[in-house]
Amino acid sequence: SAVISQKPSRDICQRGTSLTIQCQVDSQVTMMFWYRQQPGQSLTLIATANQGSEATYESGFVIDKFPISRPNLTFSTLTVSNMSPEDSSIYLCSVGALAGTEQFFGPGTRLTVL
Amino acid sequence: AQRVTQPEKLLSVFKGAPVELKCNYSYSGSPELFWYVQYSRQRLQLLLRHISRESIKGFTADLNKGETSFHLKKPFAQEEDSAMYYCALTTSGTYKYIFGTGTRLKVLA
């Protein structure tokens, strides 16, 4: 198993600003994932972050809006850029050991954009 | 396209009553299916997966490929089962999860 922490746990931001969310894992992992959970919606995968390479974005998500860093095997950041109220969501970080197996989730970051 | 459908947003049952949370999926290949649970003020965590065929906290789920379903069942609900339940699909060899919209289970005393 893996223990994941996220910072901040919540934030209220103004339109047009950016917020960087940090994800820290207590062990080295190959794959880290970023999800978005909009109010009343399911979890949607934003991107997969591998250490030492560019993140892989899902359809509908672009690097300019959601830049991701993965400087080492225990840490990643997701930035939500030029925010609008539609970006108000819970953002979750997760890790997985093997393809098709359990993923471990962080506690989430609740973002409200005014 | 792959899709997971949970038709019920909210399911309320009385303590001791049977529970069935429905999950249907759309995928042409061989899926791997999971149930995740989120208790109040806790993070999302794995409840069970179809390949292990185990019972966790009294819950079981059987993959029915003919009906493309993976319903979660428990014969006697307990108040501590109240939580948000998500059905999820992944395909062998990939890390990508497709989640359903979730069902909130409320077990009434």
Side-chain angles (χ1 to χ4, degrees):
Chain A
S1 66
V3 178
I4 303 167
S5 60
Q6 284 184 235
K7 288 182 182 179
S9 58
R10 59 177 61 222
D11 208 341
I12 300 173
C13 301
Q14 295 297 319
R15 181 196 298 263
T17 62
S18 297
L19 176 73
T20 295
I21 302 167
Q22 299 178 9
C23 177
Q24 180 76 51
V25 189
D26 69 341
S27 57
Q28 293 184 338
V29 293
T30 304
M31 312 285 281
M32 294 180 77
F33 309 90
W34 287 98
Y35 289 84
R36 180 175 74 181
Q37 186 175 25
Q38 293 178 302
Q41 306 283 325
S42 182
L43 286 79
T44 302
L45 182 63
I46 297 171
T48 302
N50 294 337
Q51 193 268 333
S53 64
E54 294 271 335
T56 303
Y57 289 83
E58 297 298 308
S59 175
F61 297 97
V62 295
I63 188 171
D64 290 346
K65 176 67 176 178
F66 297 101
I68 288 171
S69 79
R70 183 78 202 275
N72 57 54
L73 291 173
T74 63
F75 187 79
S76 178
T77 66
L78 169 77
T79 299
V80 186
S81 303
N82 188 24
M83 289 184 285
S84 67
E86 292 70 38
D87 294 320
S88 297
S89 285
I90 297 173
Y91 291 85
L92 291 152
C93 167
S94 77
V95 302
L98 297 170
T101 63
E102 177 180 5
Q103 286 192 7
F104 299 93
F105 287 84
T109 295
R110 184 180 293 273
L111 170 62
T112 302
V113 184
L114 303 177
Chain B
Q2 300 158 10
R3 178 179 291 180
V4 176
T5 303
Q6 294 180 250
E8 302 138 330
K9 280 196 170 182
L10 173 65
L11 183 64
S12 296
V13 300
F14 285 102
K15 177 182 172 182
V19 173
E20 182 179 55
L21 288 83
K22 291 184 167 47
C23 172
N24 288 91
Y25 66 90
S26 172
Y27 177 59
S28 56
S30 291
E32 301 197 20
L33 286 145
F34 303 79
W35 277 99
Y36 279 79
V37 60
Q38 189 167 26
Y39 300 103
S40 178
R41 301 183 189 281
Q42 295 186 28
R43 65 188 65 192
L44 196 62
Q45 59 187 285
L46 179 69
L47 179 63
L48 55 79
R49 70 195 84 181
H50 90 270
I51 57 171
S52 58
R53 293 183 160 275
E54 55 196 346
S55 174
I56 303 293
K57 299 185 178 182
F59 284 98
T60 58
D62 290 319
L63 177 60
N64 185 324
K65 290 189 178 181
E67 296 183 358
T68 60
S69 69
F70 188 57
H71 302 328
L72 183 67
K73 299 177 184 179
K74 184 169 183 177
F76 308 103
Q78 299 173 306
E79 289 181 73
E80 54 265 34
D81 296 327
S82 296
M84 194 75 179
Y85 291 81
Y86 292 94
C87 183
L89 173 155
T90 185
T91 58
S92 178
T94 75
Y95 287 89
K96 182 176 177 178
Y97 269 61
I98 307 295
F99 282 88
T101 50
T103 298
R104 181 169 296 282
L105 175 65
K106 284 190 176 180
V107 181
L108 309 170

